[in-house]
Amino acid sequence: MIVDARVLREDFVPTEVVHRHDEVTHLSETLEPLLYGERAEPAFLFGPTGVGKTCIARYTLEQLREEDPEIRTAYVNCWQEYTRFRVLYAILEAIDRTADLHRSTPKDELFGRLEAADEGPIVVILDEVDQLEETDVLYDLYRLRHVSLVMIANREDELFARLDDRIRSRLHASTRVRFDRYRTTELAAILQRRAEKALEPGAVSDAQFRTIADAASGDARVGIGILRSAARRAERRGTDQFTDDVIEASIPDAQTAIRRKTLEGLIEHQRILYEVIADAGEIEPTDLYDAYERRVTKPKTERTLRNYLTKMVHYDLIEAVGKRRGRSYRVVDEEVQTSEEDGAVGESER
DNA sequence: TGTCCACCGGAATCCTGGGGAT
DNA sequence: ATCCCCAGGATTCCGGTGGACA
């Protein structure tokens, strides 16, 4: 069934793109000056999740490097690298300048090092740049003549609202590439291309591609997730073709997989908080803090819990209903619990 | 209408632990 | 071995907000 699993991975960059030629052209035109030793203006890629922003950014940079291998690139996911220190560190790591760096290196030393690495252009992709907590690093990077920025975010207005005036005014003139949701037919075509490389020929029918694309409602990440999950499922069953019930079973799987992954990333106290909220269904702050304190031996302070809560809201794991007095928290998606057993069953499939 | 207070979140400060310098 | 520097998480402190209630 599965011939090449890499193709179904989330970070796979295809060798050719489907349905995003205009966007690729737009971005590569912006970066073109780099080929003539000039500076490229910063570029923004805006659009909802799963529309290929990250994929196109990486693809375009690979194309660029094929024309000029001297151009160095760094990919930074601001979800994980959300401080100035971490962003700078990640960039230095990508260009191999972290040999003797450690946690206690002064921040300015990191910046100085990046500043000194000016023997050629560096293109930095800042993915999920709206998750950056210390936005002043954008200003630092902007100041470096040999660094070009490709920034990825969901919504333009939300991103700009978070920036301070200094950097906002400078970035206002940048190129913007906008991505729309895929139509079902477009996503079906993308999935088909992936399947051609990843799976044995004829494993999936055209109608099944459409079913998957439809269930993913324009989100390629979800679509590929369903495809991957269905392929594994079919493989476990020893069939060489997708059946409709395999696909049916894989849809909820893929939709909650991302959530489960973020849930795993939580630290113990955050998970306990999440469990308290999940158990209660919906709970008010004071009750939540009390219940939490009863469950742990060394409780964190309420302020810390509030930080956890905002973080979890951010992750889209829980939601806060109402503001101030009378606010309550609840988990975003109740199905998470039920799908748990689904994943664990695995080999004992019916 | 005024007071109370649950709740939020910003800012300053403390604490911890890794790692270099001496 | 000891001291110093650092980042980042936790904690402390506190002001703002607006719904509840008299």
Side-chain angles (χ1 to χ4, degrees):
Chain A
M1 167 59 72
I2 300 175
V3 178
D4 187 354
R6 282 177 312 145
V7 182
L8 298 179
R9 282 172 54 111
E10 210 148 282
D11 55 358
F12 177 77
V13 180
T15 47
E16 52 181 321
V17 296
V18 191
H19 291 302
R20 285 294 185 227
H21 295 292
D22 292 351
E23 289 82 355
V24 171
T25 310
H26 195 171
L27 182 57
S28 40
E29 276 171 7
T30 309
L31 298 173
E32 207 177 354
L34 293 172
L35 296 172
Y36 315 119
E38 288 164 35
R39 191 183 189 193
E41 286 303 306
F44 283 108
L45 310 188
F46 291 118
T49 52
V51 292
K53 302 187 295 296
T54 307
C55 184
I56 292 310
R58 292 187 124 144
Y59 171 82
T60 310
L61 289 201
E62 278 181 21
Q63 298 289 104
L64 192 69
R65 271 176 57 80
E66 251 170 53
E67 294 205 40
D68 183 357
E70 294 294 299
I71 296 173
R72 292 163 294 173
T73 62
Y75 172 84
V76 182
N77 188 328
C78 300
W79 188 270
Q80 279 111 41
E81 325 301 334
Y82 48 83
T83 64
R84 181 171 184 265
F85 184 91
R86 289 198 190 186
V87 169
L88 293 175
Y89 193 95
I91 297 170
L92 287 168
E93 200 167 35
I95 61 166
D96 267 347
R97 295 294 165 91
T98 41
D100 51 344
L101 286 178
H102 46 86
R103 272 180 3 107
S104 56
T105 310
K107 285 181 184 177
D108 290 338
E109 157 106 35
L110 274 114
F111 182 70
R113 231 181 250 224
L114 188 57
E115 199 171 21
D118 62 351
E119 64 274 11
I122 306 170
V123 186
V124 178
I125 300 177
L126 294 175
D127 204 348
E128 314 210 45
V129 67
D130 46 347
Q131 300 302 321
L132 209 53
E133 279 176 21
E134 296 172 13
T135 52
D136 51 338
V137 68
L138 294 179
Y139 184 72
D140 293 328
L141 295 174
Y142 183 84
R143 274 164 49 208
L144 296 174
R145 299 210 56 80
H146 59 292
V147 172
S148 299
L149 296 174
V150 175
M151 290 166 284
I152 303 176
N154 289 21
R155 293 172 52 98
E156 173 168 358
D157 45 354
E158 275 175 25
L159 172 66
F160 275 90
R162 299 194 57 242
L163 303 178
D164 62 273
D165 295 336
R166 204 175 48 161
I167 181 71
R168 190 185 305 152
S169 57
R170 282 172 174 78
L171 291 180
H172 225 275
S174 324
T175 306
R176 292 164 173 74
V177 186
R178 294 175 212 285
F179 290 69
D180 296 321
R181 282 221 169 280
Y182 289 116
R183 297 164 198 283
T184 303
T185 48
E186 290 173 336
L187 184 50
I190 290 168
L191 295 174
Q192 193 163 2
R193 290 295 180 92
R194 292 287 177 108
E196 276 166 18
K197 296 211 156 122
L199 310 177
E200 309 228 352
V204 193
S205 74
D206 285 356
Q208 287 170 332
F209 281 125
R210 285 192 65 95
T211 307
I212 298 173
D214 202 44
S217 50
D219 188 329
R221 192 191 306 196
V222 174
I224 291 168
I226 297 173
L227 195 62
R228 181 176 54 228
S229 165
R232 293 211 184 114
R233 219 171 263 261
E235 198 160 63
R236 281 201 303 264
R237 292 191 188 178
T239 60
D240 56 356
Q241 278 195 334
F242 277 29
T243 55
D244 289 348
D245 59 314
V246 159
I247 293 175
E248 202 62 41
S250 303
I251 289 170
D253 243 26
Q255 282 164 341
T256 55
I258 296 162
R259 181 186 316 281
R260 203 177 306 148
K261 218 158 117 192
T262 45
L263 215 48
E264 277 164 21
L266 297 179
I267 61 173
E268 193 196 345
H269 287 261
Q270 293 169 335
R271 207 161 38 237
I272 292 168
L273 261 186
Y274 181 87
E275 281 165 14
V276 170
I277 298 170
D279 289 352
E282 184 157 351
I283 189 165
E284 294 185 6
T286 313
D287 298 337
L288 173 58
Y289 300 146
D290 289 347
Y292 160 81
E293 280 179 17
R294 269 183 264 115
R295 285 206 198 184
V296 298
T297 43
K298 280 183 65 185
K300 306 277 184 189
T301 56
E302 288 191 10
R303 183 67 188 88
T304 302
L305 298 186
R306 265 179 260 140
N307 281 340
Y308 289 170
L309 288 168
T310 41
K311 200 150 224 174
M312 284 157 67
V313 169
H314 221 85
Y315 286 166
D316 218 24
L317 288 170
I318 61 170
E319 61 185 340
V321 193
K323 282 189 175 345
R324 327 244 171 245
R325 194 180 268 240
R327 167 180 269 209
S328 64
Y329 294 97
R330 63 175 179 227
V331 297
V332 168
D333 191 11
E334 283 293 331
E335 290 133 69
V336 177
Q337 269 76 40
T338 58
S339 66
E340 206 92 314
E341 61 215 318
D342 212 340
V345 171
E347 61 289 330
S348 64
E349 293 260 1
R350 296 154 299 272

